[in-house]
Amino acid sequence: MNTLVKELQREFAHQIEEAGDLLDKPFVRLRREALFTFCKAAREKGFDYLACITGVDRPQERALEVIYNLYSYEYFQHLVLKTRCPYEDPVVDSVGLIWKAALFLEREVFDLVGIGFTGHPDLRRILLPEPWQGHPLRKDYSLEREQFVNKDTQGRDVVSFEPTEGW
Amino acid sequence: MNELLFSVGGALALIGIVAGGGGVLTYVFRKLFADFGQRLGPNRVGPYGILQFVADGIKLVAKEDIIPARVERWGFRLAPHLTFVPAVLAFSPLPFSEGLIITDVRVGLILIFALAAMAPLGEVVAGWASNNKYSMLGGLRAAAMDVSYEIPLLISAVSVILLAGSASTLEIVKKQNELWFFIPQILGLFVFVAAMIGKVGVLPFDLPDAESELVAGYVTEYSGMRFAFFFLTMFANVFFIAALTVTLYFGGWLGPFGLHLPPMLSFIWFFLKAGVLIFVVFWLWNSLPRVRIDQFLNINWKLLFPLSLLNLVITSIMVAWGVAR
Amino acid sequence: MTEPYTIEPQPDSKDLLVLNMGPQHPSTHGVLRLILKIDGETVRDVQPVIGYLHRGFEKIAEGGRYPHFIIECNRADYVASYTYEVAYVRAVEELTGLQAPPRARYIRVICLELDRIQSHLVWLGTFGLDLGALNAFWYGFRERELILSLQQELTGVRMHPNYFRFGGVKADFPDGWIEKTRRVCDEVERKLDEYEDFLAQSDTFLMRTRGVGVLPKEMAIDWGVTGPNARASGLDFDLRRDEPYFAYSDMKFTVPVRTAGDCYARFEVRLEEMRQSIQIIRQALERLPQGPLILDGWEKGYQFLIAPKGEHYTRVEGPRGEIGVYLIGDGTTFPYRVKLRSPCFQNLSVLPELMRNTLIADLVAINGSFDIVMGCVDR
């Protein structure tokens, strides 16, 4: 394991629930509360590039998982960062202030998985229409229940579950 | 009675020239565009697809004339005519050969520019009446361009008038019997052609209907015959640039090196020269990227305008010292 | 698509004109919608609205077995379909611990580089078209056609190959394919010089691209911009060189980097990348090893691949940047979660920053130079 990650692990020893390797990349699982400070430290240590944010639904654990893929262009090192939030309170801190790349990525996760990001300046759906019901990448999302998007008289998007005029 | 017949005949001939010439030019343009892009171009309607423009014309006439619901109907209908009529009339003082001229007025050149100055009116009205933001931007751009490019255009034409001592187009051509004006006016020719292309608005200066920016500019909402008017006007204008440049700088119907044709056939020289110039315009159209609006205005005010003034001064000195004439 | 259709006038924008550019507009390359607030010709604010092409690939992936998603994922970026497919196949292979035989690895490199060239040619054509150089479009697509027909001979289809398999590739080169590819490489290389003459030597083109849409290096990293766009800003990083996969470690090539970060730098980087790709293809054809195309027993067996319980993030260098796949397996024949990390999505997110306070014409140039493919953005 590389030194950057070791330093971070030492610094946040109490916040890390689990650490290990995902094939060739080191990973740490953080407590939700420590996410923002950890990311800030990681950025300062040299992880300047946030590649990807993945939201995963874990129905067995009744939790939603958020996975951050960090990379350092300076030291050529990876870090996979994970954190969890329970179904009852699906919110984690936004890292949009640390990496601008997170602004779009978090909106996507919010849209498709339904995880809120506190502190995000513009948290709206991004790929789906605003009034869409449910979050498609949750495991309990019903694919049988079709949704149709139309404009109402004010020109706003509305969702209906029956095909209406124009379909 | 004779005069009336002549006027009607002349008017019909004008429309024939513009519609026919513009139509043929659309075919030529498409064929050349295809050649520059190493494609085939129209090749289905008639031999070598030469009847394509007829088919296009029939299609445009037969098409439903759509007037969108929330346009300013009066202006929307008026605008194509405001663009088309001056473009047609501008051909009337142009001599295709010594006898082939519809009206020879003493101030022919002035008349031409007066008519050309009406072009932005139609464009602005079209842009405003369409009730479309792209149309409006296109109309505003067209107005800005036309107004600014008129100035170097006129100044370089004034140099020609100075040199010829007359504003009559026939006189100007006759004065070029010994020496075509593009030799003493090489600077003026450059300014004139650049400004003319800018005024007509084809690439690299096609900002009013820059399709990658403004969809189709002020013609966005038009369809059918009304669109055809704009389209035809554009190609008629390309022909007009070439014809006017030939008249002012390349000796009109006169042949090079004293190779004059008999008066009945001398229009052949005119159309040959105009054809070469049209080819050059199409060539530029096909090879240059579009300039930005600020760069476009910079070219005008910082390059063409001073050059045209310089040219005017040089011409005045030449005329005063009797070098030319 | 997330916006309410009517836009409330903001107090600070009462003098600005709201212009809705797209989703059907000649220069938004598909279904990108930009809500512009313009002051005359100057763009004061840009808000991208995406999602018109969202097809829910990540959900589709969960519904099928592992190989089923090979067919789907190449539709995500329809201009660089090979690269997406390879990225997914590689992710599954690495999670399962498969290693394709050498010949298959070389074939993959050749396919990837052909794909990069044809994708860049599409970009070149459309970029020229955005700037008004109409013929660049025909030229770009003419050479692309040569490459597409090569790909068609190899895989059977022009765009969506379904050619890569877990542990190898589907078929070997047809007869005469290698010579033909060499000829196409020569042809394209010659034509690239022509493009450079046609565009880069035109003053108008330089006027339109130099100093327009400057993206500083720090900003590129911060916003997660990758690929040629980041390299044009001075980020000297290429996954093919810095994290070599398949047979890239055997290849000799340089990674073009420019520091200007403007539209012209992006143009230069992509042109140079095409040249380098041709070099890579030549080397790969030269050293092509003999041997099996696919691991023993995997010709049919791939249908019921069982990936172990685990997670893995794989990234490959696509024509538009880093294409990442975050794959979670749960020990069954179905993937638990497939996340596609789209380069265009990230590249798009920085565009409003660059477009602010430019002219409409510059906005079109910037959008064109970034090479956004909406299928890749929306997935």
Side-chain angles (χ1 to χ4, degrees):
Chain A
M1 193 180 288
N2 52 61
T3 50
L4 269 187
V5 181
K6 270 190 186 142
E7 275 176 38
L8 279 168
Q9 282 188 352
R10 210 172 307 124
E11 206 169 310
F12 288 87
H14 302 297
Q15 313 292 342
I16 291 172
E17 293 175 339
E18 191 185 350
D21 281 317
L22 291 175
L23 297 187
D24 54 340
K25 299 178 181 69
F27 96 92
V28 292
R29 184 197 308 287
L30 273 179
R31 287 174 50 201
R32 178 160 62 134
E33 294 73 33
L35 181 71
F36 189 83
T37 43
F38 185 91
C39 286
K40 214 172 162 78
R43 170 90 208 223
E44 277 157 14
K45 286 267 189 305
F47 285 106
D48 45 4
Y49 168 49
L50 172 67
C52 184
I53 301 180
T54 313
V56 187
D57 185 13
R58 302 276 191 193
Q60 291 88 358
E61 287 123 57
R62 292 195 54 73
L64 295 164
E65 194 170 42
V66 195
I67 304 162
Y68 300 79
N69 288 90
L70 308 183
Y71 187 70
S72 164
Y73 281 125
E74 212 173 326
Y75 304 104
F76 300 102
Q77 279 174 7
H78 285 276
L79 175 61
V80 183
L81 193 62
K82 292 184 181 181
T83 189
R84 279 198 183 179
C85 51
Y87 270 176
E88 293 73 36
D89 180 27
V91 170
V92 296
D93 283 337
S94 167
V95 293
L97 286 174
I98 302 168
W99 297 280
K100 290 281 198 321
L103 294 177
F104 259 42
L105 287 167
E106 284 176 350
R107 275 180 74 182
E108 191 196 335
V109 174
F110 168 72
D111 186 0
L112 300 180
V113 193
I115 299 171
F117 291 89
T118 45
H120 191 288
D122 186 25
L123 196 63
R124 290 173 292 133
R125 285 186 184 270
I126 187 164
L127 294 174
L128 297 174
E130 196 65 58
W132 196 265
Q133 303 287 310
H135 302 281
L137 288 178
R138 294 272 184 106
K139 293 290 176 190
D140 57 355
Y141 180 82
S142 165
L143 288 173
E144 276 72 44
R145 194 152 161 260
E146 282 186 76
Q147 303 190 25
F148 300 87
V149 184
N150 255 326
K151 298 257 177 279
D152 68 0
T153 46
Q154 266 96 50
R156 284 189 297 259
D157 286 342
V158 283
V159 156
S160 61
F161 294 96
E162 296 297 321
T164 47
E165 200 185 339
W167 281 95
Chain B
M1 192 61 199
N2 256 350
E3 272 177 20
L4 184 71
L5 269 181
F6 188 78
S7 315
V8 171
L12 287 178
L14 266 182
I15 293 174
I17 290 168
V18 173
V24 171
L25 277 188
T26 57
Y27 168 75
V28 172
F29 172 72
R30 289 176 65 175
K31 214 58 181 169
L32 278 177
F33 187 22
D35 282 351
F36 283 122
Q38 306 203 347
R39 294 175 294 125
L40 289 175
N43 61 354
R44 289 279 173 245
V45 195
Y48 302 103
I50 198 143
L51 295 177
Q52 184 66 48
F53 75 92
V54 181
D56 284 350
I58 292 171
K59 184 203 79 176
L60 284 173
V61 172
K63 220 172 175 180
E64 186 191 353
D65 173 36
I66 299 168
I67 301 182
R70 284 155 76 181
V71 299
E72 175 72 46
R73 296 176 83 85
W74 205 73
F76 190 79
R77 288 194 181 134
L78 184 67
H81 306 290
L82 277 180
T83 337
F84 187 66
V85 172
V88 173
L89 286 180
F91 277 90
S92 63
L94 265 188
F96 297 104
S97 78
E98 192 158 6
L100 261 180
I101 180 166
I102 292 168
T103 50
D104 175 29
V105 283
R106 249 174 357 98
V107 288
L109 207 50
I110 311 288
L111 178 63
I112 285 174
F113 285 117
L115 287 167
M118 283 181 69
L121 192 60
E123 290 158 356
V124 173
V125 170
W128 182 255
S130 292
N131 190 18
N132 178 322
K133 289 164 185 171
Y134 289 111
S135 297
M136 196 190 72
L137 283 175
L140 292 180
R141 277 186 181 188
M145 284 168 58
D146 282 358
V147 168
S148 56
Y149 268 58
E150 214 119 76
I151 294 160
L153 197 65
L154 273 171
I155 294 175
S156 45
V158 163
S159 309
V160 172
I161 295 178
L162 266 182
L163 210 55
S166 164
S168 153
T169 45
L170 270 182
E171 285 299 312
I172 289 172
V173 176
K174 281 179 188 160
K175 278 275 161 39
Q176 301 185 46
N177 211 344
E178 288 100 48
L179 184 66
W180 290 0
F181 282 168
F182 80 90
I183 296 170
Q185 290 287 322
I186 189 75
L187 207 55
L189 174 69
F190 168 73
V191 174
F192 187 83
V193 172
M196 209 58 184
I197 291 175
K199 200 170 144 44
V200 171
V202 298
L203 269 171
F205 299 138
D206 73 334
L207 296 160
D209 51 358
E211 79 281 339
S212 64
E213 294 155 28
L214 300 184
V215 189
Y218 55 87
V219 292
T220 305
E221 295 288 350
Y222 283 90
S223 64
M225 203 54 211
R226 286 178 221 280
F227 169 73
F229 272 127
F230 283 112
F231 195 61
L232 208 56
T233 311
M234 179 144 116
F235 280 91
N237 277 339
V238 171
F239 180 42
F240 184 71
I241 312 175
L244 193 59
T245 313
V246 167
T247 308
L248 295 187
Y249 294 99
F250 291 100
W253 65 84
L254 304 169
F257 313 117
L259 291 172
H260 302 312
L261 287 170
M264 288 304 288
L265 294 176
S266 55
F267 67 87
I268 291 176
W269 273 126
F270 182 89
F271 282 107
L272 268 181
K273 293 181 210 168
V276 172
L277 279 173
I278 289 170
F279 178 77
V280 171
V281 172
F282 284 165
W283 194 1
L284 289 175
W285 191 333
N286 278 313
S287 36
L288 288 180
R290 182 182 303 118
V291 298
R292 222 162 51 200
I293 183 84
D294 58 326
Q295 294 164 345
F296 176 83
L297 295 175
N298 274 344
I299 292 172
N300 180 55
W301 292 109
K302 294 185 183 161
L303 179 71
L304 295 183
F305 181 56
L307 274 184
S308 67
L309 281 179
L310 179 68
N311 183 49
L312 184 64
V313 171
I314 294 173
T315 313
S316 313
I317 294 172
M318 282 195 321
V319 172
W321 287 357
V323 180
R325 236 185 197 173
Chain C
M1 214 154 170
T2 61
E3 294 309 300
Y5 193 69
T6 46
I7 293 143
E8 309 299 327
Q10 303 295 315
D12 59 329
S13 68
K14 62 178 184 293
D15 290 321
L16 300 182
L17 181 71
V18 176
L19 185 68
N20 192 17
M21 197 168 182
Q24 274 121 27
H25 186 279
S27 64
T28 51
H29 300 294
V31 286
L32 172 62
R33 176 173 162 209
L34 297 170
I35 299 173
L36 316 180
K37 286 188 184 141
I38 54 173
D39 174 11
E41 287 264 337
T42 316
V43 179
R44 294 288 179 216
D45 192 21
V46 185
Q47 204 171 18
V49 180
I50 61 176
Y52 292 91
L53 209 55
H54 182 56
R55 290 148 292 173
F57 278 131
E58 291 167 15
K59 191 70 183 173
I60 291 173
E62 291 172 14
R65 293 201 171 82
Y66 279 98
H68 292 165
F69 192 54
I70 298 181
I71 312 163
E72 297 290 344
C73 71
N74 58 40
R75 264 89 176 160
D77 183 346
Y78 38 77
V79 182
S81 40
Y82 284 69
T83 319
Y84 253 95
E85 200 173 305
V86 162
Y88 172 67
V89 167
R90 182 174 170 227
V92 176
E93 277 180 359
E94 289 190 350
L95 189 63
T96 336
L98 295 174
Q99 170 93 335
R103 190 176 172 86
R105 294 210 295 272
Y106 270 74
I107 292 177
R108 282 178 184 181
V109 166
I110 293 167
C111 286
L112 279 176
E113 293 309 312
L114 281 176
D115 203 39
R116 188 181 317 278
I117 297 172
Q118 64 92 3
S119 170
H120 281 356
L121 284 172
V122 173
W123 165 81
L124 184 82
T126 49
F127 184 46
L129 200 62
D130 284 343
L131 295 179
L134 305 176
N135 277 322
F137 186 72
W138 307 117
Y139 296 152
F141 272 66
R142 183 186 60 196
E143 266 68 70
R144 179 182 184 236
E145 200 56 39
L146 296 174
I147 293 171
L148 284 186
S149 57
L150 279 181
Q151 293 182 336
Q152 186 180 12
E153 278 183 39
L154 179 60
T155 67
V157 284
R158 283 154 54 89
M159 282 175 79
H160 300 299
N162 190 19
Y163 173 69
F164 304 100
R165 296 281 180 269
F166 305 131
V169 294
K170 187 176 72 176
D172 206 344
F173 298 133
D175 291 342
W177 195 86
I178 293 175
E179 288 70 44
K180 211 168 157 187
T181 309
R182 287 210 173 98
R183 276 204 305 279
V184 169
C185 282
D186 295 344
E187 170 85 10
V188 173
E189 194 169 39
R190 205 168 53 245
K191 288 294 192 311
L192 285 178
D193 295 336
E194 274 183 27
Y195 302 144
E196 195 151 24
D197 288 351
F198 180 64
L199 290 171
Q201 301 209 353
S202 154
D203 281 347
T204 327
F205 182 79
L206 297 182
M207 273 159 65
R208 285 298 304 279
T209 51
R210 281 240 168 104
V212 172
V214 178
L215 174 70
K217 183 182 169 187
E218 288 69 34
M219 197 171 161
I221 296 173
D222 201 19
W223 285 86
V225 177
T226 46
N229 298 325
R231 286 195 281 278
S233 300
L235 179 64
D236 189 4
F237 185 79
D238 190 320
L239 288 170
R240 293 175 293 168
R241 185 194 62 194
D242 298 320
E243 278 183 13
Y245 43 97
F246 304 144
Y248 277 117
S249 45
D250 302 350
M251 307 292 165
K252 261 207 171 92
F253 62 100
T254 56
V255 176
V257 177
R258 298 286 184 279
T259 48
D262 55 4
C263 293
Y264 186 68
R266 292 190 271 277
F267 167 80
E268 278 186 320
V269 164
R270 285 206 173 81
L271 263 194
E272 191 56 34
E273 259 185 28
M274 282 192 260
R275 296 208 174 93
Q276 295 301 328
S277 292
I278 289 171
Q279 299 302 334
I280 294 174
I281 293 173
R282 286 205 182 116
Q283 290 174 39
L285 288 174
E286 191 82 17
R287 301 182 193 159
L288 192 64
Q290 296 300 323
L293 290 169
I294 191 162
L295 291 176
D296 262 356
W298 279 90
E299 295 89 347
K300 296 279 187 292
Y302 73 91
Q303 284 287 355
F304 294 101
L305 176 132
I306 297 175
K309 210 169 156 66
E311 310 183 10
H312 185 48
Y313 180 70
T314 306
R315 46 186 196 165
V316 301
E317 183 75 28
R320 272 162 277 282
E322 170 183 328
I323 295 176
V325 178
Y326 197 92
L327 184 69
I328 303 179
D330 60 351
T332 62
T333 54
F334 294 88
Y336 186 78
R337 173 89 166 86
V338 180
K339 158 88 185 178
L340 298 175
R341 190 264 180 202
S342 145
C344 298
F345 189 70
Q346 290 307 99
N347 293 352
L348 178 76
S349 70
V350 77
L351 282 187
E353 303 294 315
L354 299 185
M355 288 168 173
R356 218 158 271 153
N357 297 324
T358 59
L359 296 173
I360 293 179
D362 283 342
L363 178 144
V364 170
I366 294 167
N367 188 26
S369 75
F370 258 76
D371 193 14
I372 305 288
V373 171
M374 289 316 287
C376 181
V377 174
D378 292 343
R379 284 154 291 158

